[in-house]
Amino acid sequence: ETGVTQTPRHLVMGMTNKKSLKCEQHLGHNAMYWYKQSAKKPLELMFVYSLEERVENNSVPSRFSPECPNSSHLFLHLHTLQPEDSALYLCASSQDRGYNSPLHFGNGTRLTVT
Amino acid sequence: GQNIDQPTEMTATEGAIVQINCTYQTSGFNGLFWYQQHAGEAPTFLSYNVLDGLEEKGRFSSFLSRSKGYSYLLLKELQMKDSASYLCAVRDNAGNMLTFGGGTRLMVKP
């Protein structure tokens, strides 16, 4: 399997639930990212991990908690979410955070909070 | 702060040429990327510009003017499969973060 794989593709959860999104990259990259994509809004950077160390936390509410156990895997743990958190959550990876390294995205998890 | 502007929607005819513009105002500049995103799919990398001028890749070309804070993506010989959103993204030089514009939804009609 190649590229960036995200699971699940779709998730419906209540505001009191706890769930996790999973991302796996098979590209040998050492930087991984979580982005949020809402309707009619630009992609918003949430978290960046470089060599498994978090290097960016873009003022994201604490109800979102990332975890990067190794350079190939990235998780986003969700708890007590709000309906406005419903969006497409995209994982991406790149080789370093070098200036010319493009991001490679997964297909995303479509999250609906009820 | 970062500000990236693109038209929200464009429509073009199959076989024609379309130019999608992107203007940016960012704190530092370390390159500009274009991505294509079909509905329900991942954004995929199209092009990267860091120096002024035109980069050509088959039917797609991307242009950059750093002094004007301006880029465009040029799509030639449009095909129906080119109907997608096109995202402009700028990398700053303070932490190398990538900031995206809102995307331009292109509809190609027969």
Side-chain angles (χ1 to χ4, degrees):
Chain A
E1 196 170 349
T2 58
V4 181
T5 305
Q6 290 187 244
T7 54
R9 288 297 307 273
H10 300 273
L11 178 63
V12 179
M13 60 186 288
M15 290 190 284
T16 57
N17 290 160
K18 287 186 181 181
K19 296 285 184 183
S20 295
L21 310 185
K22 179 182 175 182
C23 176
E24 185 173 358
Q25 60 96 0
H26 306 271
L27 300 167
H29 290 163
N30 55 18
M32 296 188 78
Y33 310 74
W34 280 115
Y35 278 87
K36 177 183 179 181
Q37 189 173 37
S38 305
K40 302 187 187 300
K41 290 177 70 175
L43 274 167
E44 300 171 58
L45 178 64
M46 300 176 73
F47 301 104
V48 181
Y49 278 83
S50 180
L51 297 172
E52 301 149 44
E53 180 183 338
R54 190 191 305 182
V55 294
E56 183 73 19
N57 177 351
N58 223 17
S59 302
V60 178
S62 59
R63 57 186 184 269
F64 295 91
S65 174
E67 178 190 359
C68 187
N70 55 61
S71 59
S72 299
H73 293 86
L74 185 65
F75 295 89
L76 188 63
H77 304 299
L78 316 171
H79 65 96
T80 59
L81 294 192
Q82 304 298 311
E84 60 265 28
D85 297 323
S86 298
L88 181 68
Y89 288 84
L90 289 164
C91 173
S93 69
S94 71
Q95 186 53 39
D96 302 318
R97 292 185 297 133
Y99 66 94
N100 63 346
S101 297
L103 300 182
H104 294 257
F105 286 90
N107 281 329
T109 295
R110 173 70 61 185
L111 174 67
T112 304
V113 181
T114 60
Chain B
Q2 321 286 62
N3 190 37
I4 300 173
D5 288 315
Q6 325 177 216
T8 306
E9 286 189 353
M10 298 182 72
T11 303
T13 305
E14 191 176 15
I17 299 173
V18 71
Q19 178 175 310
I20 302 174
N21 295 325
C22 171
T23 57
Y24 63 89
Q25 295 168 314
T26 57
S27 53
F29 178 83
N30 226 351
L32 186 145
F33 295 79
W34 284 96
Y35 284 82
Q36 179 191 61
Q37 186 178 23
H38 286 99
E41 297 184 14
T44 54
F45 169 70
L46 288 178
S47 68
Y48 170 74
N49 295 71
V50 68
L51 299 176
D52 290 351
L54 189 68
E55 294 281 342
E56 296 187 74
K57 255 191 202 180
R59 294 190 299 115
F60 292 5
S61 304
S62 56
F63 171 83
L64 175 68
S65 169
R66 288 172 296 171
S67 62
K68 295 181 180 177
Y70 168 69
S71 173
Y72 67 72
L73 181 69
L74 193 71
L75 291 76
K76 303 176 186 175
E77 301 168 17
L78 279 173
Q79 302 174 10
M80 299 299 291
K81 67 178 183 179
D82 297 329
S83 294
S85 287
Y86 291 85
L87 311 178
C88 172
V90 175
R91 177 162 269 151
D92 65 31
N93 56 12
N96 274 325
M97 291 300 110
L98 200 60
T99 301
F100 283 83
T104 299
R105 187 180 167 206
L106 174 67
M107 289 171 281
V108 180
K109 297 186 173 179

mmCIF file of all heavy atoms in Angstrom, chain B residues 48-95:
data_model
loop_
_atom_site.group_PDB
_atom_site.id
_atom_site.type_symbol
_atom_site.label_atom_id
_atom_site.label_comp_id
_atom_site.label_asym_id
_atom_site.label_seq_id
_atom_site.Cartn_x
_atom_site.Cartn_y
_atom_site.Cartn_z
ATOM 1 N N TYR B 48 4.992 23.828 -7.952
ATOM 2 C CA TYR B 48 5.684 24.612 -6.928
ATOM 3 C C TYR B 48 6.479 25.712 -7.623
ATOM 4 O O TYR B 48 7.186 25.445 -8.593
ATOM 5 C CB TYR B 48 6.626 23.709 -6.134
ATOM 6 C CG TYR B 48 7.568 24.442 -5.215
ATOM 7 C CD1 TYR B 48 7.112 25.015 -4.041
ATOM 8 C CD2 TYR B 48 8.928 24.539 -5.521
ATOM 9 C CE1 TYR B 48 7.975 25.677 -3.190
ATOM 10 C CE2 TYR B 48 9.801 25.207 -4.666
ATOM 11 C CZ TYR B 48 9.317 25.764 -3.507
ATOM 12 O OH TYR B 48 10.170 26.425 -2.654
ATOM 13 N N ASN B 49 6.355 26.934 -7.141
ATOM 14 C CA ASN B 49 7.142 28.065 -7.654
ATOM 15 C C ASN B 49 7.803 28.771 -6.473
ATOM 16 O O ASN B 49 7.135 29.052 -5.476
ATOM 17 C CB ASN B 49 6.253 29.090 -8.366
ATOM 18 C CG ASN B 49 5.604 28.559 -9.628
ATOM 19 O OD1 ASN B 49 4.703 27.721 -9.565
ATOM 20 N ND2 ASN B 49 6.030 29.060 -10.772
ATOM 21 N N VAL B 50 9.077 29.051 -6.616
ATOM 22 C CA VAL B 50 9.756 29.864 -5.604
ATOM 23 C C VAL B 50 10.467 31.050 -6.241
ATOM 24 O O VAL B 50 10.700 32.065 -5.593
ATOM 25 C CB VAL B 50 10.726 29.015 -4.753
ATOM 26 C CG1 VAL B 50 11.906 28.548 -5.589
ATOM 27 C CG2 VAL B 50 11.165 29.759 -3.514
ATOM 28 N N LEU B 51 10.795 30.919 -7.534
ATOM 29 C CA LEU B 51 11.404 32.021 -8.283
ATOM 30 C C LEU B 51 10.383 32.588 -9.267
ATOM 31 O O LEU B 51 9.458 31.881 -9.682
ATOM 32 C CB LEU B 51 12.635 31.526 -9.029
ATOM 33 C CG LEU B 51 13.765 30.955 -8.157
ATOM 34 C CD1 LEU B 51 14.880 30.410 -9.046
ATOM 35 C CD2 LEU B 51 14.289 32.008 -7.194
ATOM 36 N N ASP B 52 10.567 33.839 -9.644
ATOM 37 C CA ASP B 52 9.666 34.464 -10.600
ATOM 38 C C ASP B 52 9.722 33.732 -11.931
ATOM 39 O O ASP B 52 10.779 33.271 -12.365
ATOM 40 C CB ASP B 52 10.063 35.935 -10.819
ATOM 41 C CG ASP B 52 9.778 36.786 -9.603
ATOM 42 O OD1 ASP B 52 9.127 36.297 -8.659
ATOM 43 O OD2 ASP B 52 10.217 37.953 -9.590
ATOM 44 N N GLY B 53 8.571 33.668 -12.565
ATOM 45 C CA GLY B 53 8.532 33.084 -13.891
ATOM 46 C C GLY B 53 7.517 31.983 -14.014
ATOM 47 O O GLY B 53 6.692 31.765 -13.130
ATOM 48 N N LEU B 54 7.594 31.312 -15.133
ATOM 49 C CA LEU B 54 6.610 30.294 -15.501
ATOM 50 C C LEU B 54 7.223 28.900 -15.396
ATOM 51 O O LEU B 54 8.315 28.654 -15.878
ATOM 52 C CB LEU B 54 6.153 30.556 -16.941
ATOM 53 C CG LEU B 54 4.967 29.753 -17.475
ATOM 54 C CD1 LEU B 54 3.692 30.169 -16.748
ATOM 55 C CD2 LEU B 54 4.821 29.960 -18.982
ATOM 56 N N GLU B 55 6.478 28.004 -14.747
ATOM 57 C CA GLU B 55 6.860 26.592 -14.683
ATOM 58 C C GLU B 55 5.815 25.809 -15.465
ATOM 59 O O GLU B 55 4.625 25.909 -15.169
ATOM 60 C CB GLU B 55 6.865 26.091 -13.229
ATOM 61 C CG GLU B 55 7.921 26.728 -12.334
ATOM 62 C CD GLU B 55 9.296 26.121 -12.547
ATOM 63 O OE1 GLU B 55 9.370 25.007 -13.107
ATOM 64 O OE2 GLU B 55 10.286 26.753 -12.152
ATOM 65 N N GLU B 56 6.266 25.037 -16.441
ATOM 66 C CA GLU B 56 5.321 24.300 -17.279
ATOM 67 C C GLU B 56 5.406 22.804 -17.023
ATOM 68 O O GLU B 56 6.505 22.230 -16.926
ATOM 69 C CB GLU B 56 5.602 24.581 -18.766
ATOM 70 C CG GLU B 56 5.374 26.043 -19.123
ATOM 71 C CD GLU B 56 5.481 26.312 -20.605
ATOM 72 O OE1 GLU B 56 4.547 25.931 -21.333
ATOM 73 O OE2 GLU B 56 6.488 26.891 -21.037
ATOM 74 N N LYS B 57 4.222 22.188 -16.928
ATOM 75 C CA LYS B 57 4.148 20.738 -16.709
ATOM 76 C C LYS B 57 3.005 20.213 -17.531
ATOM 77 O O LYS B 57 1.867 20.127 -17.076
ATOM 78 C CB LYS B 57 3.850 20.452 -15.229
ATOM 79 C CG LYS B 57 4.975 19.966 -14.381
ATOM 80 C CD LYS B 57 4.426 19.498 -13.043
ATOM 81 C CE LYS B 57 5.497 19.502 -11.988
ATOM 82 N NZ LYS B 57 4.987 19.053 -10.686
ATOM 83 N N GLY B 58 3.282 19.861 -18.763
ATOM 84 C CA GLY B 58 2.226 19.335 -19.615
ATOM 85 C C GLY B 58 1.150 20.380 -19.866
ATOM 86 O O GLY B 58 1.448 21.505 -20.261
ATOM 87 N N ARG B 59 -0.098 20.027 -19.602
ATOM 88 C CA ARG B 59 -1.203 20.958 -19.849
ATOM 89 C C ARG B 59 -1.295 22.051 -18.786
ATOM 90 O O ARG B 59 -2.011 23.025 -18.960
ATOM 91 C CB ARG B 59 -2.532 20.204 -19.891
ATOM 92 C CG ARG B 59 -2.688 19.238 -21.056
ATOM 93 C CD ARG B 59 -4.127 18.725 -21.161
ATOM 94 N NE ARG B 59 -4.541 17.992 -19.979
ATOM 95 C CZ ARG B 59 -5.516 18.394 -19.154
ATOM 96 N NH1 ARG B 59 -6.144 19.533 -19.370
ATOM 97 N NH2 ARG B 59 -5.865 17.657 -18.109
ATOM 98 N N PHE B 60 -0.572 21.860 -17.684
ATOM 99 C CA PHE B 60 -0.662 22.822 -16.576
ATOM 100 C C PHE B 60 0.617 23.646 -16.493
ATOM 101 O O PHE B 60 1.725 23.125 -16.616
ATOM 102 C CB PHE B 60 -0.863 22.086 -15.237
ATOM 103 C CG PHE B 60 -2.195 21.396 -15.095
ATOM 104 C CD1 PHE B 60 -3.113 21.334 -16.132
ATOM 105 C CD2 PHE B 60 -2.532 20.797 -13.891
ATOM 106 C CE1 PHE B 60 -4.335 20.700 -15.985
ATOM 107 C CE2 PHE B 60 -3.758 20.156 -13.731
ATOM 108 C CZ PHE B 60 -4.653 20.103 -14.775
ATOM 109 N N SER B 61 0.463 24.950 -16.259
ATOM 110 C CA SER B 61 1.599 25.842 -16.037
ATOM 111 C C SER B 61 1.281 26.707 -14.836
ATOM 112 O O SER B 61 0.116 27.029 -14.584
ATOM 113 C CB SER B 61 1.828 26.756 -17.247
ATOM 114 O OG SER B 61 2.008 26.017 -18.418
ATOM 115 N N SER B 62 2.318 27.114 -14.111
ATOM 116 C CA SER B 62 2.106 28.018 -12.977
ATOM 117 C C SER B 62 3.124 29.147 -13.061
ATOM 118 O O SER B 62 4.285 28.930 -13.398
ATOM 119 C CB SER B 62 2.223 27.269 -11.648
ATOM 120 O OG SER B 62 3.467 26.625 -11.545
ATOM 121 N N PHE B 63 2.624 30.341 -12.750
ATOM 122 C CA PHE B 63 3.426 31.559 -12.868
ATOM 123 C C PHE B 63 3.516 32.225 -11.507
ATOM 124 O O PHE B 63 2.553 32.193 -10.722
ATOM 125 C CB PHE B 63 2.780 32.514 -13.874
ATOM 126 C CG PHE B 63 3.414 33.877 -13.912
ATOM 127 C CD1 PHE B 63 4.558 34.101 -14.665
ATOM 128 C CD2 PHE B 63 2.884 34.934 -13.186
ATOM 129 C CE1 PHE B 63 5.155 35.357 -14.698
ATOM 130 C CE2 PHE B 63 3.471 36.196 -13.202
ATOM 131 C CZ PHE B 63 4.615 36.399 -13.965
ATOM 132 N N LEU B 64 4.650 32.862 -11.245
ATOM 133 C CA LEU B 64 4.836 33.578 -9.987
ATOM 134 C C LEU B 64 5.493 34.927 -10.226
ATOM 135 O O LEU B 64 6.458 35.022 -10.992
ATOM 136 C CB LEU B 64 5.713 32.756 -9.034
ATOM 137 C CG LEU B 64 6.091 33.428 -7.708
ATOM 138 C CD1 LEU B 64 4.863 33.603 -6.818
ATOM 139 C CD2 LEU B 64 7.172 32.638 -6.981
ATOM 140 N N SER B 65 4.959 35.954 -9.538
ATOM 141 C CA SER B 65 5.617 37.256 -9.442
ATOM 142 C C SER B 65 5.696 37.598 -7.960
ATOM 143 O O SER B 65 4.685 37.944 -7.335
ATOM 144 C CB SER B 65 4.830 38.333 -10.190
ATOM 145 O OG SER B 65 5.351 39.626 -9.866
ATOM 146 N N ARG B 66 6.866 37.491 -7.386
ATOM 147 C CA ARG B 66 7.020 37.747 -5.953
ATOM 148 C C ARG B 66 6.822 39.218 -5.611
ATOM 149 O O ARG B 66 6.251 39.551 -4.570
ATOM 150 C CB ARG B 66 8.398 37.278 -5.480
ATOM 151 C CG ARG B 66 8.549 35.769 -5.433
ATOM 152 C CD ARG B 66 9.972 35.352 -5.151
ATOM 153 N NE ARG B 66 10.865 35.781 -6.246
ATOM 154 C CZ ARG B 66 12.183 35.710 -6.192
ATOM 155 N NH1 ARG B 66 12.787 35.255 -5.107
ATOM 156 N NH2 ARG B 66 12.920 36.106 -7.217
ATOM 157 N N SER B 67 7.264 40.107 -6.490
ATOM 158 C CA SER B 67 7.127 41.533 -6.205
ATOM 159 C C SER B 67 5.667 41.963 -6.163
ATOM 160 O O SER B 67 5.302 42.888 -5.437
ATOM 161 C CB SER B 67 7.884 42.363 -7.250
ATOM 162 O OG SER B 67 7.335 42.140 -8.536
ATOM 163 N N LYS B 68 4.819 41.256 -6.912
ATOM 164 C CA LYS B 68 3.393 41.592 -6.947
ATOM 165 C C LYS B 68 2.571 40.710 -6.017
ATOM 166 O O LYS B 68 1.363 40.920 -5.883
ATOM 167 C CB LYS B 68 2.847 41.467 -8.378
ATOM 168 C CG LYS B 68 3.456 42.465 -9.348
ATOM 169 C CD LYS B 68 2.857 42.316 -10.743
ATOM 170 C CE LYS B 68 3.481 43.326 -11.698
ATOM 171 N NZ LYS B 68 2.982 43.171 -13.087
ATOM 172 N N GLY B 69 3.190 39.721 -5.396
ATOM 173 C CA GLY B 69 2.428 38.803 -4.548
ATOM 174 C C GLY B 69 1.345 38.110 -5.342
ATOM 175 O O GLY B 69 0.184 38.031 -4.913
ATOM 176 N N TYR B 70 1.715 37.568 -6.497
ATOM 177 C CA TYR B 70 0.718 37.088 -7.457
ATOM 178 C C TYR B 70 1.191 35.816 -8.132
ATOM 179 O O TYR B 70 2.360 35.667 -8.486
ATOM 180 C CB TYR B 70 0.495 38.186 -8.504
ATOM 181 C CG TYR B 70 -0.267 37.789 -9.730
ATOM 182 C CD1 TYR B 70 -1.619 37.475 -9.668
ATOM 183 C CD2 TYR B 70 0.365 37.741 -10.982
ATOM 184 C CE1 TYR B 70 -2.317 37.121 -10.808
ATOM 185 C CE2 TYR B 70 -0.331 37.384 -12.125
ATOM 186 C CZ TYR B 70 -1.671 37.086 -12.028
ATOM 187 O OH TYR B 70 -2.370 36.746 -13.153
ATOM 188 N N SER B 71 0.250 34.900 -8.300
ATOM 189 C CA SER B 71 0.502 33.680 -9.038
ATOM 190 C C SER B 71 -0.731 33.333 -9.852
ATOM 191 O O SER B 71 -1.841 33.764 -9.539
ATOM 192 C CB SER B 71 0.802 32.527 -8.063
ATOM 193 O OG SER B 71 0.905 31.283 -8.739
ATOM 194 N N TYR B 72 -0.532 32.582 -10.909
ATOM 195 C CA TYR B 72 -1.680 31.988 -11.594
ATOM 196 C C TYR B 72 -1.367 30.566 -12.015
ATOM 197 O O TYR B 72 -0.211 30.204 -12.227
ATOM 198 C CB TYR B 72 -2.156 32.833 -12.782
ATOM 199 C CG TYR B 72 -1.216 32.944 -13.955
ATOM 200 C CD1 TYR B 72 -0.986 31.878 -14.824
ATOM 201 C CD2 TYR B 72 -0.573 34.166 -14.240
ATOM 202 C CE1 TYR B 72 -0.135 32.012 -15.909
ATOM 203 C CE2 TYR B 72 0.268 34.303 -15.327
ATOM 204 C CZ TYR B 72 0.487 33.219 -16.154
ATOM 205 O OH TYR B 72 1.325 33.343 -17.241
ATOM 206 N N LEU B 73 -2.427 29.794 -12.127
ATOM 207 C CA LEU B 73 -2.364 28.441 -12.660
ATOM 208 C C LEU B 73 -3.080 28.467 -14.004
ATOM 209 O O LEU B 73 -4.224 28.910 -14.089
ATOM 210 C CB LEU B 73 -3.046 27.459 -11.710
ATOM 211 C CG LEU B 73 -3.044 25.988 -12.122
ATOM 212 C CD1 LEU B 73 -1.628 25.414 -12.047
ATOM 213 C CD2 LEU B 73 -3.982 25.180 -11.215
ATOM 214 N N LEU B 74 -2.396 27.999 -15.030
ATOM 215 C CA LEU B 74 -2.957 28.002 -16.380
ATOM 216 C C LEU B 74 -3.232 26.563 -16.802
ATOM 217 O O LEU B 74 -2.328 25.721 -16.760
ATOM 218 C CB LEU B 74 -1.968 28.656 -17.347
ATOM 219 C CG LEU B 74 -2.482 29.021 -18.725
ATOM 220 C CD1 LEU B 74 -3.448 30.200 -18.619
ATOM 221 C CD2 LEU B 74 -1.320 29.370 -19.656
ATOM 222 N N LEU B 75 -4.461 26.295 -17.172
ATOM 223 C CA LEU B 75 -4.829 24.966 -17.628
ATOM 224 C C LEU B 75 -5.211 25.047 -19.106
ATOM 225 O O LEU B 75 -6.117 25.782 -19.491
ATOM 226 C CB LEU B 75 -6.024 24.431 -16.837
ATOM 227 C CG LEU B 75 -5.827 24.067 -15.365
ATOM 228 C CD1 LEU B 75 -5.747 25.294 -14.479
ATOM 229 C CD2 LEU B 75 -6.940 23.155 -14.886
ATOM 230 N N LYS B 76 -4.517 24.276 -19.919
ATOM 231 C CA LYS B 76 -4.774 24.283 -21.369
ATOM 232 C C LYS B 76 -5.539 23.034 -21.777
ATOM 233 O O LYS B 76 -5.534 22.029 -21.065
ATOM 234 C CB LYS B 76 -3.446 24.321 -22.133
ATOM 235 C CG LYS B 76 -2.553 25.493 -21.803
ATOM 236 C CD LYS B 76 -1.223 25.364 -22.543
ATOM 237 C CE LYS B 76 -0.255 26.446 -22.105
ATOM 238 N NZ LYS B 76 1.095 26.279 -22.707
ATOM 239 N N GLU B 77 -6.173 23.117 -22.950
ATOM 240 C CA GLU B 77 -6.891 21.965 -23.518
ATOM 241 C C GLU B 77 -7.747 21.293 -22.451
ATOM 242 O O GLU B 77 -7.617 20.101 -22.173
ATOM 243 C CB GLU B 77 -5.894 20.957 -24.111
ATOM 244 C CG GLU B 77 -5.008 21.539 -25.199
ATOM 245 C CD GLU B 77 -3.838 20.602 -25.546
ATOM 246 O OE1 GLU B 77 -3.885 19.409 -25.203
ATOM 247 O OE2 GLU B 77 -2.880 21.104 -26.160
ATOM 248 N N LEU B 78 -8.608 22.087 -21.853
ATOM 249 C CA LEU B 78 -9.394 21.612 -20.734
ATOM 250 C C LEU B 78 -10.152 20.334 -21.047
ATOM 251 O O LEU B 78 -10.711 20.164 -22.133
ATOM 252 C CB LEU B 78 -10.393 22.683 -20.291
ATOM 253 C CG LEU B 78 -9.845 23.791 -19.397
ATOM 254 C CD1 LEU B 78 -10.904 24.859 -19.181
ATOM 255 C CD2 LEU B 78 -9.352 23.233 -18.073
ATOM 256 N N GLN B 79 -10.188 19.454 -20.044
ATOM 257 C CA GLN B 79 -10.937 18.213 -20.131
ATOM 258 C C GLN B 79 -11.971 18.199 -19.004
ATOM 259 O O GLN B 79 -11.810 18.889 -17.987
ATOM 260 C CB GLN B 79 -9.989 17.016 -20.007
ATOM 261 C CG GLN B 79 -8.897 16.995 -21.068
ATOM 262 C CD GLN B 79 -7.875 15.881 -20.863
ATOM 263 O OE1 GLN B 79 -8.056 14.990 -20.044
ATOM 264 N NE2 GLN B 79 -6.783 15.942 -21.623
ATOM 265 N N MET B 80 -13.000 17.391 -19.191
ATOM 266 C CA MET B 80 -14.061 17.321 -18.184
ATOM 267 C C MET B 80 -13.487 16.925 -16.824
ATOM 268 O O MET B 80 -13.928 17.417 -15.779
ATOM 269 C CB MET B 80 -15.143 16.339 -18.608
ATOM 270 C CG MET B 80 -15.849 16.701 -19.910
ATOM 271 S SD MET B 80 -16.692 18.298 -19.819
ATOM 272 C CE MET B 80 -18.000 17.893 -18.685
ATOM 273 N N LYS B 81 -12.476 16.072 -16.838
ATOM 274 C CA LYS B 81 -11.900 15.591 -15.578
ATOM 275 C C LYS B 81 -11.146 16.691 -14.818
ATOM 276 O O LYS B 81 -10.756 16.490 -13.654
ATOM 277 C CB LYS B 81 -10.947 14.425 -15.838
ATOM 278 C CG LYS B 81 -9.698 14.805 -16.606
ATOM 279 C CD LYS B 81 -8.759 13.606 -16.792
ATOM 280 C CE LYS B 81 -7.482 14.015 -17.511
ATOM 281 N NZ LYS B 81 -6.542 12.880 -17.673
ATOM 282 N N ASP B 82 -10.942 17.845 -15.470
ATOM 283 C CA ASP B 82 -10.282 18.961 -14.791
ATOM 284 C C ASP B 82 -11.245 19.707 -13.861
ATOM 285 O O ASP B 82 -10.817 20.609 -13.122
ATOM 286 C CB ASP B 82 -9.697 19.943 -15.814
ATOM 287 C CG ASP B 82 -8.609 19.314 -16.669
ATOM 288 O OD1 ASP B 82 -7.892 18.417 -16.173
ATOM 289 O OD2 ASP B 82 -8.480 19.717 -17.851
ATOM 290 N N SER B 83 -12.523 19.351 -13.913
ATOM 291 C CA SER B 83 -13.475 19.946 -12.970
ATOM 292 C C SER B 83 -13.088 19.537 -11.559
ATOM 293 O O SER B 83 -13.092 18.349 -11.216
ATOM 294 C CB SER B 83 -14.901 19.461 -13.277
ATOM 295 O OG SER B 83 -15.342 19.933 -14.513
ATOM 296 N N ALA B 84 -12.727 20.520 -10.745
ATOM 297 C CA ALA B 84 -12.200 20.250 -9.404
ATOM 298 C C ALA B 84 -11.992 21.598 -8.714
ATOM 299 O O ALA B 84 -12.192 22.652 -9.320
ATOM 300 C CB ALA B 84 -10.874 19.493 -9.479
ATOM 301 N N SER B 85 -11.579 21.535 -7.470
ATOM 302 C CA SER B 85 -11.140 22.751 -6.770
ATOM 303 C C SER B 85 -9.630 22.854 -6.884
ATOM 304 O O SER B 85 -8.927 21.841 -6.821
ATOM 305 C CB SER B 85 -11.551 22.706 -5.301
ATOM 306 O OG SER B 85 -12.929 22.893 -5.161
ATOM 307 N N TYR B 86 -9.145 24.084 -7.066
ATOM 308 C CA TYR B 86 -7.722 24.335 -7.185
ATOM 309 C C TYR B 86 -7.296 25.235 -6.023
ATOM 310 O O TYR B 86 -7.837 26.326 -5.844
ATOM 311 C CB TYR B 86 -7.394 24.953 -8.549
ATOM 312 C CG TYR B 86 -7.614 23.937 -9.645
ATOM 313 C CD1 TYR B 86 -8.884 23.750 -10.198
ATOM 314 C CD2 TYR B 86 -6.582 23.107 -10.077
ATOM 315 C CE1 TYR B 86 -9.105 22.774 -11.160
ATOM 316 C CE2 TYR B 86 -6.800 22.133 -11.041
ATOM 317 C CZ TYR B 86 -8.067 21.965 -11.568
ATOM 318 O OH TYR B 86 -8.283 20.990 -12.516
ATOM 319 N N LEU B 87 -6.363 24.720 -5.239
ATOM 320 C CA LEU B 87 -5.949 25.386 -4.004
ATOM 321 C C LEU B 87 -4.569 26.007 -4.178
ATOM 322 O O LEU B 87 -3.631 25.334 -4.602
ATOM 323 C CB LEU B 87 -5.898 24.373 -2.846
ATOM 324 C CG LEU B 87 -7.107 23.458 -2.656
ATOM 325 C CD1 LEU B 87 -6.853 22.489 -1.504
ATOM 326 C CD2 LEU B 87 -8.356 24.257 -2.397
ATOM 327 N N CYS B 88 -4.480 27.266 -3.816
ATOM 328 C CA CYS B 88 -3.208 27.981 -3.798
ATOM 329 C C CYS B 88 -2.713 27.980 -2.356
ATOM 330 O O CYS B 88 -3.509 28.215 -1.431
ATOM 331 C CB CYS B 88 -3.456 29.410 -4.299
ATOM 332 S SG CYS B 88 -2.076 30.547 -4.158
ATOM 333 N N ALA B 89 -1.434 27.713 -2.140
ATOM 334 C CA ALA B 89 -0.893 27.673 -0.783
ATOM 335 C C ALA B 89 0.488 28.309 -0.772
ATOM 336 O O ALA B 89 1.288 28.072 -1.677
ATOM 337 C CB ALA B 89 -0.816 26.231 -0.281
ATOM 338 N N VAL B 90 0.746 29.083 0.262
ATOM 339 C CA VAL B 90 2.021 29.790 0.379
ATOM 340 C C VAL B 90 2.750 29.328 1.638
ATOM 341 O O VAL B 90 2.147 29.202 2.711
ATOM 342 C CB VAL B 90 1.800 31.320 0.440
ATOM 343 C CG1 VAL B 90 3.117 32.042 0.697
ATOM 344 C CG2 VAL B 90 1.179 31.807 -0.848
ATOM 345 N N ARG B 91 4.030 29.075 1.460
ATOM 346 C CA ARG B 91 4.864 28.674 2.600
ATOM 347 C C ARG B 91 5.618 29.908 3.088
ATOM 348 O O ARG B 91 6.279 30.584 2.301
ATOM 349 C CB ARG B 91 5.831 27.575 2.188
ATOM 350 C CG ARG B 91 6.792 27.152 3.279
ATOM 351 C CD ARG B 91 7.413 25.808 2.969
ATOM 352 N NE ARG B 91 6.625 24.723 3.544
ATOM 353 C CZ ARG B 91 6.560 23.497 3.026
ATOM 354 N NH1 ARG B 91 7.209 23.195 1.931
ATOM 355 N NH2 ARG B 91 5.835 22.564 3.612
ATOM 356 N N ASP B 92 5.500 30.176 4.386
ATOM 357 C CA ASP B 92 6.214 31.331 4.925
ATOM 358 C C ASP B 92 7.641 30.922 5.291
ATOM 359 O O ASP B 92 8.027 29.766 5.139
ATOM 360 C CB ASP B 92 5.463 31.922 6.122
ATOM 361 C CG ASP B 92 5.398 30.974 7.316
ATOM 362 O OD1 ASP B 92 6.324 30.169 7.508
ATOM 363 O OD2 ASP B 92 4.406 31.055 8.060
ATOM 364 N N ASN B 93 8.400 31.887 5.776
ATOM 365 C CA ASN B 93 9.774 31.543 6.154
ATOM 366 C C ASN B 93 9.978 31.608 7.665
ATOM 367 O O ASN B 93 11.093 31.682 8.141
ATOM 368 C CB ASN B 93 10.780 32.449 5.436
ATOM 369 C CG ASN B 93 10.521 33.919 5.696
ATOM 370 O OD1 ASN B 93 9.744 34.281 6.576
ATOM 371 N ND2 ASN B 93 11.165 34.772 4.926
ATOM 372 N N ALA B 94 8.870 31.589 8.389
ATOM 373 C CA ALA B 94 8.938 31.541 9.851
ATOM 374 C C ALA B 94 8.334 30.218 10.297
ATOM 375 O O ALA B 94 7.171 30.137 10.650
ATOM 376 C CB ALA B 94 8.162 32.707 10.447
ATOM 377 N N GLY B 95 9.100 29.172 10.251
ATOM 378 C CA GLY B 95 8.572 27.866 10.620
ATOM 379 C C GLY B 95 8.100 27.054 9.434
ATOM 380 O O GLY B 95 7.659 25.925 9.570
#
